[in-house]
């Protein structure tokens, strides 16, 4: 698995398409996590569901990093940031390669 | 010597900083906690961090503000334990977690709002004083700067103060590390 992270509109998808044209994509992971939280799933269940898909075959997982802002007023938003952060840490550990994309430039950090 | 560890919420920065301290050779490991437990959410955060530190030999000091006062604590604890071993073994390492709480606690205290410039100066002075009393000081600080939202004046003043302090500390620091999805990225060494 290859993990690509970074802020919004940094060119993560484009970077992935150019560098890993033959892989399968799991894009907008942070939004998937948000939906699952709204469905009442907990962190472990969501991680399991993601891993069931992406640990099989050549996958590129793309996600926004959403924890780099002021603590949100809404509890749901705070919970979403934390769960997304923790899931990304778990996925990064299992990834063969991790890239952080800033202004379209991908830096390999693992 | 200062090491600055920077990262967003749930980025793995605390775990990284704790590993850094635990792999050091110093006899005394202090954890200087700056978060005050005033609601259930902070209490559960504090619990999570306590669990992370369990069994790692940290001596916990709690100072939500006026971190200068931690120097007295450290002196009292260390002078009670004389040892004939070498200096390194007698050294002290302090993990301050975290700067974002300290700045908030200094600026917004008991219903008062204190001047950002004054708080910046006070915190930097106290950090320098603390640094001079220990072998190594590891400071965890937050990236709260990338959501693109313009907040009210108080919050913006706070963000500017934290950003200024981070930059000043990075200048002094021997090492600056950003942690992203649990992975350390060395920005200065």
């Amino acid at each position: 698995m290859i993990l690509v992270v970074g802020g919004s509109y940094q060119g993560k998808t484009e970077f992935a398409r150019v560098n890993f044209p033959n892989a399968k994509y799991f894009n907008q992971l942070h939004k998937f996590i948000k939906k699952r939280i709204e469905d009442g799933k907990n962190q472990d269940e969501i991680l399991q569901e993601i891993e069931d898909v992406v640990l099989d075959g050549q996958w590129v997982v793309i996600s926004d990093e959403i924890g780099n802002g002021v603590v949100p007023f809404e509890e749901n938003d705070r919970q979403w940031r934390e769960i997304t952060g923790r899931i990304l840490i778990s996925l990064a550990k299992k990834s063969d390669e991790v890239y952080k994309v800033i202004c379209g430039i991908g830096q390999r950090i693992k | 010597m200062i090491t600055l560890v920077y990262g967003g919420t749930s980025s793995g920065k605390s775990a990284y900083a704790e590993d850094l301290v635990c792999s050091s050779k110093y006899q005394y490991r202090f954890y200087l906690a700056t978060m005050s437990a005033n609601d259930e959410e902070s209490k559960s955060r504090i619990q999570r961090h306590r669990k992370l530190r369990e069994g790692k030999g940290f001596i916990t000091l709690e100072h939500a503000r006026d971190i200068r006062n931690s120097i007295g604590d450290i002196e009292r604890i260390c002078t009670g334990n004389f040892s004939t071993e070498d200096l390194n073994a007698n050294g002290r390492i302090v993990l301050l977690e975290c700067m974002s709480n300290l700045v908030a606690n200094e600026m917004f205290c008991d219903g008062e709002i204190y001047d950002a410039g004054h708080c910046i100066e006070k915190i930097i002075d106290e950090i320098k004083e603390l640094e001079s009393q220990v072998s190594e000081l590891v400071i965890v600080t937050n990236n709260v700067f990338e959501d693109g939202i313009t907040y009210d004046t108080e919050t913006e003043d706070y963000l500017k103060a934290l950003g200024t302090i981070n930059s000043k500390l990075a200048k002094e620091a021997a090492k600056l590390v950003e942690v992203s999805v649990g992975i350390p990225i060395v920005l200065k060494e």
Side-chain angles (χ1 to χ4, degrees), chain B residues 53-64:
Chain B
R53 294 201 303 280
E54 232 169 45
K56 291 181 179 171
F58 278 100
I59 301 163
T60 300
L61 310 172
E62 293 180 352
H63 292 278

Side-chain angles (χ1 to χ4, degrees), chain A residues 3 5 65 67-70 75 78 81-82 85-86 88-89 92 98 100 107 109-110, chain B residues 8-12 41 45 48 143-147 151 159 178 180-183 185:
Chain A
L3 181 63
V5 298
E65 283 185 282
N68 299 339
V70 172
E75 193 186 344
R78 292 199 295 273
R81 291 198 323 163
E82 278 212 43
R86 304 262 161 245
L88 286 176
I89 291 172
V98 179
K100 189 178 171 86
Q107 182 192 10
I109 59 174
K110 182 184 176 184
Chain B
T9 294
S10 307
S11 60
E41 218 171 298
R45 275 181 164 268
R48 202 186 75 81
N143 177 359
V144 290
F145 307 103
E146 297 178 14
D147 60 17
Y151 292 92
L159 290 173
E178 179 186 8
S180 196
V181 296
I183 299 170
I185 304 163

Side-chain angles (χ1 to χ4, degrees), chain A residues 5-12 63-66 68 100-102, chain B residues 146:
Chain A
V5 298
S8 324
Y9 310 112
Q10 296 299 309
K12 300 185 293 297
S63 179
D64 279 19
E65 283 185 282
I66 59 169
N68 299 339
K100 189 178 171 86
V101 180
I102 297 169
Chain B
E146 297 178 14

Side-chain angles (χ1 to χ4, degrees), chain A residues 89-104:
Chain A
I89 291 172
S90 299
L91 292 175
K93 275 188 187 144
K94 293 193 176 176
S95 295
D96 303 304
E97 299 171 27
V98 179
Y99 294 85
K100 189 178 171 86
V101 180
I102 297 169
C103 306

Side-chain angles (χ1 to χ4, degrees), chain A residues 26-83:
Chain A
F26 194 138
N27 207 347
Q28 310 258 38
L29 185 85
H30 60 293
K31 288 190 178 164
F32 173 85
I33 293 171
K34 185 169 198 172
K35 272 198 197 114
R36 286 298 183 264
I37 296 171
E38 285 163 2
D39 293 343
K41 302 271 195 245
N42 68 31
Q43 183 180 312
D44 292 341
E45 288 167 336
I46 301 168
L47 177 63
Q48 190 59 55
E49 190 181 347
I50 296 165
E51 286 187 348
D52 284 345
V53 175
V54 300
L55 292 181
D56 182 28
Q58 271 303 311
W59 282 90
V60 175
V61 179
I62 305 171
S63 179
D64 279 19
E65 283 185 282
I66 59 169
N68 299 339
V70 172
V71 180
F73 186 71
E74 296 289 335
E75 193 186 344
N76 290 346
D77 291 332
R78 292 199 295 273
Q79 192 192 25
W80 175 40
R81 291 198 323 163
E82 278 212 43
I83 291 178

Side-chain angles (χ1 to χ4, degrees), chain B residues 35-47:
Chain B
M35 182 184 244
S36 49
N38 36 27
D39 56 54
E40 281 312 308
E41 218 171 298
S42 11
K43 277 179 195 158
S44 89
R45 275 181 164 268
I46 289 170
Q47 269 322 107

Side-chain angles (χ1 to χ4, degrees), chain B:
Chain B
M1 174 191 155
I2 291 176
T3 299
L4 190 61
V5 180
Y6 177 77
T9 294
S10 307
S11 60
K13 59 190 184 307
S14 306
Y16 171 77
E18 280 165 27
D19 284 350
L20 204 70
V21 172
C22 290
S23 62
S24 73
K25 54 196 181 301
Y26 304 106
Q27 186 181 348
Y28 295 99
R29 290 174 189 162
F30 291 98
Y31 183 90
L32 176 50
T34 60
M35 182 184 244
S36 49
N38 36 27
D39 56 54
E40 281 312 308
E41 218 171 298
S42 11
K43 277 179 195 158
S44 89
R45 275 181 164 268
I46 289 170
Q47 269 322 107
R48 202 186 75 81
H49 279 250
R50 280 195 183 139
K51 261 222 143 82
L52 270 172
R53 294 201 303 280
E54 232 169 45
K56 291 181 179 171
F58 278 100
I59 301 163
T60 300
L61 310 172
E62 293 180 352
H63 292 278
R65 64 185 77 86
D66 302 320
I67 55 158
R68 179 176 279 133
N69 294 337
S70 68
I71 297 169
D73 300 347
I74 293 169
E75 288 301 330
R76 271 192 295 281
I77 290 164
C78 294
T79 48
N81 279 308
F82 287 107
S83 167
T84 51
E85 288 170 46
D86 65 79
L87 263 177
N88 274 341
N90 280 318
R92 310 153 181 185
I93 187 164
V94 174
L95 170 52
L96 187 158
E97 179 140 22
C98 63
M99 188 50 73
S100 55
N101 280 315
L102 178 62
V103 176
N105 294 338
E106 290 282 358
M107 278 184 73
F108 312 108
C109 176
D110 302 328
E112 300 272 339
I113 299 174
Y114 292 88
D115 174 63
H118 163 78
C119 291
I120 293 168
E121 215 171 292
K122 176 174 189 285
I123 289 170
I124 294 292
D125 281 352
E126 294 193 28
I127 287 286
K128 283 185 177 163
E129 207 176 317
L130 177 59
E131 184 202 3
S132 72
Q133 300 300 314
V134 300
S135 312
E136 275 191 55
L137 175 58
V138 179
I139 302 170
V140 174
T141 191
N142 268 56
N143 177 359
V144 290
F145 307 103
E146 297 178 14
D147 60 17
I149 301 169
T150 302
Y151 292 92
D152 55 87
T153 317
E154 285 81 25
T155 309
E156 287 294 328
D157 283 350
Y158 164 76
L159 290 173
K160 195 173 170 189
L162 181 60
T164 306
I165 288 171
N166 284 347
S167 308
K168 283 179 187 287
L169 291 175
K171 215 171 184 178
E172 299 287 324
K175 191 172 178 179
L176 168 61
V177 182
E178 179 186 8
V179 181
S180 196
V181 296
I183 299 170
I185 304 163
V186 177
L187 300 176
K188 177 183 172 182
E189 194 166 28

